Amino acid sequence: MAKMLLSLILWVTMGYFLTGQVGAMTHIVGGSFGWRFPANTSFYQAWAKPRNFTSGDKLVFLYTTGLHNVLEVKKEDYDDCTQSHVIKKYDNGPAIFEVTKPGDHYFICGLKNQCQNGERLRISVMKGGESSGGGGIFGMITKSSANSKHNSIGMLSGLLLVLFMLLI
């Protein structure tokens, strides 16, 4: 009986680790639309609204080099669609931005009038916590938040393991 109890505790512990959430997320900016001239000026803000961003997350800007770029800018440049306070410039697509600190981050396309026409994004990065979405085996799988659905495969596999052990 003690051996069975020890085995059950071991499997429950393994199930717990299987259900762990992944701290860092990879966000495909704009989902399947990518980073390009949007149909309306609020497209990218609507995309960002249901998502939680934390340090360690990555933003992937999918765009064609030469037709678009990504500039990380200060709030003033974001508000006015100017390029006076550029923090970082990404000319070659796709661009990957790794979030390293909490607070507001601002991105614009610096070509032509694309920023004025809505090709800009503001995200608020939370302190600590977890990003939207996630889940995986021993924290090795990073889920994209392109479709904002939570992944429950890790939790399901952990529960199935526990149920299997109870039946043996």
Side-chain angles (χ1 to χ4, degrees):
M1 182 70 170
K3 187 175 179 182
M4 187 173 162
L5 183 60
L6 183 60
S7 179
L8 179 62
I9 290 171
L10 176 65
W11 283 106
V12 168
T13 303
M14 286 178 59
Y16 171 77
F17 286 111
L18 285 172
T19 62
Q21 292 291 314
V22 174
M25 293 284 298
T26 300
H27 303 273
I28 309 297
V29 175
S32 61
F33 185 77
W35 182 249
R36 57 190 174 119
F37 189 77
N40 61 63
T41 57
S42 61
F43 175 81
Y44 289 106
Q45 287 317 118
W47 171 84
K49 188 175 182 178
R51 288 165 177 76
N52 297 320
F53 301 96
T54 60
S55 292
D57 283 2
K58 291 181 180 154
L59 299 178
V60 179
F61 293 85
L62 299 176
Y63 62 92
T64 303
T65 301
L67 297 178
H68 304 274
N69 67 8
V70 179
L71 305 178
E72 182 187 6
V73 296
K74 302 237 181 196
K75 184 181 185 320
E76 303 83 42
D77 284 336
Y78 175 83
D79 290 340
D80 300 334
C81 287
T82 57
Q83 299 179 35
S84 301
H85 305 96
V86 174
I87 298 168
K88 186 152 184 165
K89 184 176 182 179
Y90 303 87
D91 282 321
N92 298 319
I96 301 173
F97 171 80
E98 186 166 352
V99 178
T100 58
K101 60 185 176 188
D104 290 338
H105 295 266
Y106 304 92
F107 304 92
I108 65 172
C109 179
L111 302 179
K112 304 174 188 163
N113 291 325
Q114 290 168 314
C115 176
Q116 292 89 339
N117 291 312
E119 197 169 352
R120 62 187 188 160
L121 171 68
R122 180 187 64 81
I123 63 167
S124 293
V125 177
M126 302 181 304
K127 293 180 183 177
E130 293 195 9
S131 299
S132 56
I137 300 172
F138 300 114
M140 294 186 291
I141 299 172
T142 301
K143 181 186 181 314
S144 168
S145 68
N147 59 10
S148 75
K149 290 186 179 179
H150 294 285
N151 182 356
S152 60
I153 292 173
M155 183 174 289
L156 181 61
S157 64
L159 290 174
L160 287 174
L161 243 137
V162 171
L163 288 174
F164 177 74
M165 285 308 299
L166 289 174
L167 294 174
I168 292 180

